[in-house]
Amino acid sequence: MIIDAHRHYWDPSRLQYDWLAHAPAALQRPFLPADMNATQDACILVQAAPDERETLFLFDLARQTKGVLGVVGWVDMEAADATQRIAALVEQGQGLLCGIRPMVQDIPDTEWLARPSLDRAFDCVRDHGLVFDALVDNRHLRALSQRLTRHPGLITVVDHGAKPNIARRAFAEWAGAIARVAQVPDVVCKLSGLLTLTDAQGDTTAIEPYAAHIFESFGGQRVMWGSDWPVLTTHATYEQWKACAQALTRRFAPRHEAAVFGATARAIYSLNGRTTASARTA
C-alpha cells in the first residue's frame, strides 16, 4: 500500500487560513476528501492552520474517510499549558494523532525554534511518542539543528526538503545545511513540495539535483513521499507528481521504493498495524 505522508484538507468557511490570502486563487476554496476520490492511496493528514480546532476537524475527517492513517496536528507550543494541550489532543485523537507541526516558516523570528522556552513542549512531543514535523526553509536550519541537540530521541521529519529555492537555482547553501541536519540519526525528510518551488508548471528537470541531494544526504531508508496536495495542484496533478517521485526514487535510491512510498512513513509515524480510521470506527 502506498502512503501519501503529506496531504491537506481544509475548509476556509470553517476556519481562518491566513496564508491562503497570498496563495493562488485556485487554492482559496475548500479541499475535502470528496476531491480525492481518484486515488486509493492511504495518507497522513497534515495541519494547515495554526489553530487547535483544525486538528479536531482533521480528526473528524479521518474518522469519516477511508484511507486516513493519522493526523499531524498543531498546538500552541508557546502556551503556559502547552504540555497539557498536547496531552489533551493525544486523548481526543484516540490514536489518530501521530505528530505536531508548528508553522515555523510563517513565524517572523527565524530563531524561534531555538527558544529555550519551548523545551518543555518539545520534550512532551517526544515523550508522547509523537513526531515533530519541521515546516522550515534554509533560514531555519541552524535553529533546527540547535533544537534537535536538546532532545535526543525526538523523531523529526523535515517537510518538503526544507523548501530549497529551486526557482532561483539556489543550491549550495541549502545543500550544506540540509546535509548537516541529516547527520542527526532521528531525522527523516519528505520528498514533497518540490514541484511547487519551481517557476514553471511541471518542471521536473529543475528538481532533480535537489532530489538527488536529499537521497544522498538521508539515504533511501530515511526519505518518505508526500503529495502536498492540494498545494501541488498549482503545478501538477496528484498522479503526475507520484509518477515523477517514483522515477526519481528509482534513479537516485534504487531498491528503496517500498521504503519511500510507505514503509518509512509507517515506521516513523508508528502506523504499523493500523487500519484506517474509518475502519476502526465502523
Side-chain angles (χ1 to χ4, degrees):
M1 178 174 60
I2 289 177
I3 297 176
D4 174 3
H6 200 102
R7 189 182 300 175
H8 302 293
Y9 293 136
W10 62 64
D11 186 350
S13 70
R14 295 175 57 102
L15 293 163
Q16 187 167 348
Y17 299 80
D18 290 339
W19 65 274
L20 273 179
H22 310 287
L27 297 179
Q28 297 176 19
R29 67 169 182 86
F31 284 88
L32 296 167
D35 298 299
M36 280 297 294
N37 283 341
T39 182
Q40 300 300 312
D41 297 340
C43 72
I44 296 168
L45 300 186
V46 179
Q47 65 80 225
D51 191 323
E52 290 169 30
R53 292 174 299 173
E54 194 214 16
T55 303
L56 302 181
F57 172 58
L58 294 179
F59 289 160
D60 288 341
L61 287 180
R63 293 185 182 106
Q64 301 163 15
T65 306
K66 181 180 179 181
V68 177
L69 298 177
V71 170
V72 174
W74 183 92
V75 68
D76 185 355
M77 299 184 76
E78 295 185 278
D81 62 344
T83 58
Q84 292 96 319
R85 290 174 182 234
I86 293 168
L89 285 179
V90 170
E91 182 176 356
Q92 290 165 309
Q94 298 178 313
L96 281 172
L97 188 68
C98 57
I100 294 293
R101 187 173 86 147
M103 300 186 75
V104 178
Q105 69 172 11
D106 297 330
I107 297 172
D109 180 8
T110 57
E111 298 297 317
W112 180 86
L113 266 176
R115 291 183 184 180
S117 59
L118 298 172
D119 287 356
R120 290 179 64 250
F122 276 100
D123 278 341
C124 185
V125 170
R126 178 195 60 196
D127 295 346
H128 277 284
L130 301 174
V131 170
F132 162 42
D133 259 52
L135 178 60
V136 296
D137 58 39
N138 193 57
R139 299 169 300 159
H140 311 105
L141 291 179
R142 182 179 66 177
L144 175 61
S145 295
Q146 294 175 23
R147 172 57 57 195
L148 297 180
T149 62
R150 299 181 198 168
H151 308 278
L154 175 66
I155 305 300
T156 299
V157 175
V158 178
D159 289 349
H160 314 321
K163 305 192 80 167
N165 193 337
I166 300 174
R168 295 188 179 181
R169 302 295 195 269
F171 182 83
E173 184 180 359
W174 165 83
I178 198 68
R180 287 189 291 274
V181 169
Q183 291 174 5
V184 180
D186 292 323
V187 179
V188 173
C189 188
K190 282 183 184 174
L191 183 65
S192 61
L194 299 183
L195 272 183
T196 51
L197 299 173
T198 67
D199 58 6
Q201 290 192 5
D203 188 359
T204 59
T205 58
I207 71 174
E208 288 181 2
Y210 299 88
H213 186 69
I214 287 170
F215 281 117
E216 180 183 358
S217 299
F218 289 90
Q221 293 291 335
R222 288 200 291 146
V223 176
M224 65 177 76
W225 175 72
S227 70
D228 196 28
W229 188 93
V231 181
L232 166 70
T233 60
T234 62
H235 282 63
T237 68
Y238 181 92
E239 293 299 332
Q240 285 171 338
W241 167 235
K242 182 167 68 173
C244 173
Q246 288 170 328
L248 291 169
T249 303
R250 287 192 296 268
R251 178 175 176 184
F252 299 118
R255 299 180 300 280
H256 290 288
E257 291 95 333
V260 173
F261 288 89
T264 296
R266 279 196 173 278
I268 292 299
Y269 287 111
S270 300
L271 304 177
N272 288 321
R274 283 194 186 184
T275 56
T276 67
S278 57
R280 289 198 302 275
T281 57

Short mmCIF file of all heavy atoms in Angstrom, two decimals, residues 27-49:
data_model
loop_
_atom_site.label_atom_id
_atom_site.label_comp_id
_atom_site.label_asym_id
_atom_site.label_seq_id
_atom_site.Cartn_x
_atom_site.Cartn_y
_atom_site.Cartn_z
N LEU A 27 -6.47 27.93 -4.99
CA LEU A 27 -6.38 27.23 -3.70
C LEU A 27 -7.32 27.81 -2.65
O LEU A 27 -7.47 27.21 -1.58
CB LEU A 27 -4.95 27.28 -3.17
CG LEU A 27 -3.88 26.59 -4.01
CD1 LEU A 27 -2.51 26.76 -3.36
CD2 LEU A 27 -4.20 25.10 -4.20
N GLN A 28 -7.93 28.93 -2.95
CA GLN A 28 -8.73 29.64 -1.95
C GLN A 28 -10.18 29.14 -1.92
O GLN A 28 -11.13 29.89 -2.04
CB GLN A 28 -8.67 31.14 -2.22
CG GLN A 28 -7.26 31.71 -2.08
CD GLN A 28 -7.18 33.18 -2.44
OE1 GLN A 28 -8.19 33.89 -2.46
NE2 GLN A 28 -5.99 33.66 -2.72
N ARG A 29 -10.31 27.85 -1.74
CA ARG A 29 -11.63 27.21 -1.64
C ARG A 29 -11.46 25.95 -0.80
O ARG A 29 -10.35 25.52 -0.51
CB ARG A 29 -12.15 26.85 -3.03
CG ARG A 29 -11.34 25.77 -3.75
CD ARG A 29 -12.06 25.29 -4.99
NE ARG A 29 -11.37 24.23 -5.71
CZ ARG A 29 -11.48 22.92 -5.42
NH1 ARG A 29 -12.23 22.52 -4.40
NH2 ARG A 29 -10.83 22.02 -6.14
N PRO A 30 -12.56 25.33 -0.41
CA PRO A 30 -12.44 24.08 0.34
C PRO A 30 -11.81 22.97 -0.50
O PRO A 30 -12.11 22.84 -1.69
CB PRO A 30 -13.88 23.74 0.71
CG PRO A 30 -14.62 25.04 0.63
CD PRO A 30 -13.96 25.80 -0.48
N PHE A 31 -10.95 22.19 0.12
CA PHE A 31 -10.43 20.95 -0.46
C PHE A 31 -10.67 19.86 0.58
O PHE A 31 -10.09 19.89 1.67
CB PHE A 31 -8.94 21.07 -0.78
CG PHE A 31 -8.64 21.86 -2.02
CD1 PHE A 31 -8.47 23.24 -1.95
CD2 PHE A 31 -8.56 21.24 -3.26
CE1 PHE A 31 -8.21 23.98 -3.09
CE2 PHE A 31 -8.30 21.97 -4.41
CZ PHE A 31 -8.12 23.36 -4.32
N LEU A 32 -11.52 18.91 0.22
CA LEU A 32 -12.01 17.91 1.17
C LEU A 32 -11.89 16.51 0.56
O LEU A 32 -11.56 16.37 -0.62
CB LEU A 32 -13.45 18.25 1.56
CG LEU A 32 -13.61 19.59 2.31
CD1 LEU A 32 -15.06 20.01 2.37
CD2 LEU A 32 -12.99 19.49 3.70
N PRO A 33 -12.14 15.47 1.34
CA PRO A 33 -11.93 14.11 0.83
C PRO A 33 -12.64 13.80 -0.48
O PRO A 33 -12.13 13.03 -1.30
CB PRO A 33 -12.44 13.24 1.97
CG PRO A 33 -12.17 14.05 3.20
CD PRO A 33 -12.44 15.47 2.79
N ALA A 34 -13.80 14.39 -0.70
CA ALA A 34 -14.53 14.11 -1.95
C ALA A 34 -13.73 14.52 -3.18
O ALA A 34 -13.94 13.98 -4.27
CB ALA A 34 -15.87 14.84 -1.95
N ASP A 35 -12.79 15.45 -3.01
CA ASP A 35 -11.97 15.90 -4.13
C ASP A 35 -10.85 14.92 -4.46
O ASP A 35 -10.13 15.11 -5.44
CB ASP A 35 -11.38 17.27 -3.84
CG ASP A 35 -12.45 18.34 -3.66
OD1 ASP A 35 -13.20 18.57 -4.61
OD2 ASP A 35 -12.52 18.93 -2.56
N MET A 36 -10.65 13.91 -3.61
CA MET A 36 -9.55 12.96 -3.81
C MET A 36 -10.04 11.56 -4.14
O MET A 36 -9.35 10.58 -3.91
CB MET A 36 -8.69 12.89 -2.53
CG MET A 36 -7.72 14.03 -2.38
SD MET A 36 -6.47 14.08 -3.71
CE MET A 36 -5.57 12.58 -3.38
N ASN A 37 -11.22 11.45 -4.71
CA ASN A 37 -11.78 10.14 -5.00
C ASN A 37 -10.97 9.34 -6.01
O ASN A 37 -11.09 8.12 -6.10
CB ASN A 37 -13.22 10.28 -5.51
CG ASN A 37 -14.19 10.58 -4.37
OD1 ASN A 37 -13.89 10.34 -3.22
ND2 ASN A 37 -15.35 11.11 -4.72
N ALA A 38 -10.12 10.01 -6.77
CA ALA A 38 -9.40 9.33 -7.84
C ALA A 38 -8.29 8.43 -7.32
O ALA A 38 -7.82 7.55 -8.04
CB ALA A 38 -8.82 10.35 -8.81
N THR A 39 -7.82 8.62 -6.10
CA THR A 39 -6.72 7.81 -5.59
C THR A 39 -7.17 6.87 -4.48
O THR A 39 -8.06 7.21 -3.70
CB THR A 39 -5.58 8.71 -5.06
OG1 THR A 39 -4.51 7.87 -4.61
CG2 THR A 39 -6.04 9.59 -3.91
N GLN A 40 -6.55 5.72 -4.44
CA GLN A 40 -6.81 4.75 -3.37
C GLN A 40 -5.66 4.72 -2.36
O GLN A 40 -5.64 3.88 -1.47
CB GLN A 40 -7.01 3.36 -3.97
CG GLN A 40 -8.18 3.26 -4.94
CD GLN A 40 -9.50 3.63 -4.28
OE1 GLN A 40 -9.81 3.15 -3.18
NE2 GLN A 40 -10.27 4.48 -4.93
N ASP A 41 -4.68 5.61 -2.52
CA ASP A 41 -3.54 5.63 -1.61
C ASP A 41 -3.98 6.02 -0.21
O ASP A 41 -4.83 6.90 -0.03
CB ASP A 41 -2.48 6.64 -2.08
CG ASP A 41 -1.88 6.28 -3.42
OD1 ASP A 41 -1.98 5.09 -3.83
OD2 ASP A 41 -1.31 7.18 -4.07
N ALA A 42 -3.39 5.37 0.78
CA ALA A 42 -3.59 5.80 2.17
C ALA A 42 -2.84 7.11 2.39
O ALA A 42 -1.99 7.52 1.58
CB ALA A 42 -3.08 4.73 3.12
N CYS A 43 -3.14 7.79 3.49
CA CYS A 43 -2.50 9.08 3.70
C CYS A 43 -2.40 9.46 5.17
O CYS A 43 -3.07 8.87 6.03
CB CYS A 43 -3.24 10.19 2.94
SG CYS A 43 -4.84 10.63 3.66
N ILE A 44 -1.56 10.44 5.42
CA ILE A 44 -1.49 11.14 6.69
C ILE A 44 -1.95 12.57 6.43
O ILE A 44 -1.46 13.23 5.50
CB ILE A 44 -0.06 11.13 7.25
CG1 ILE A 44 0.36 9.69 7.56
CG2 ILE A 44 0.05 12.00 8.50
CD1 ILE A 44 1.83 9.53 7.84
N LEU A 45 -2.90 13.06 7.23
CA LEU A 45 -3.36 14.43 7.10
C LEU A 45 -2.45 15.35 7.92
O LEU A 45 -2.08 15.03 9.05
CB LEU A 45 -4.80 14.58 7.58
CG LEU A 45 -5.85 13.74 6.86
CD1 LEU A 45 -7.25 14.10 7.37
CD2 LEU A 45 -5.76 13.94 5.35
N VAL A 46 -2.13 16.50 7.33
CA VAL A 46 -1.22 17.45 7.96
C VAL A 46 -1.92 18.80 8.11
O VAL A 46 -2.58 19.27 7.17
CB VAL A 46 0.07 17.61 7.14
CG1 VAL A 46 1.03 18.62 7.78
CG2 VAL A 46 0.78 16.25 6.99
N GLN A 47 -1.75 19.41 9.26
CA GLN A 47 -2.40 20.68 9.55
C GLN A 47 -2.00 21.77 8.56
O GLN A 47 -0.91 21.72 7.98
CB GLN A 47 -2.09 21.12 10.98
CG GLN A 47 -0.63 21.44 11.26
CD GLN A 47 -0.19 22.82 10.80
OE1 GLN A 47 0.89 22.95 10.21
NE2 GLN A 47 -0.98 23.84 11.07
N ALA A 48 -2.87 22.76 8.40
CA ALA A 48 -2.59 23.89 7.51
C ALA A 48 -2.98 25.22 8.14
O ALA A 48 -2.88 26.25 7.49
CB ALA A 48 -3.32 23.72 6.18
N ALA A 49 -3.43 25.20 9.40
CA ALA A 49 -3.79 26.42 10.12
C ALA A 49 -3.26 26.34 11.54
O ALA A 49 -3.32 25.27 12.16
CB ALA A 49 -5.30 26.64 10.13
#
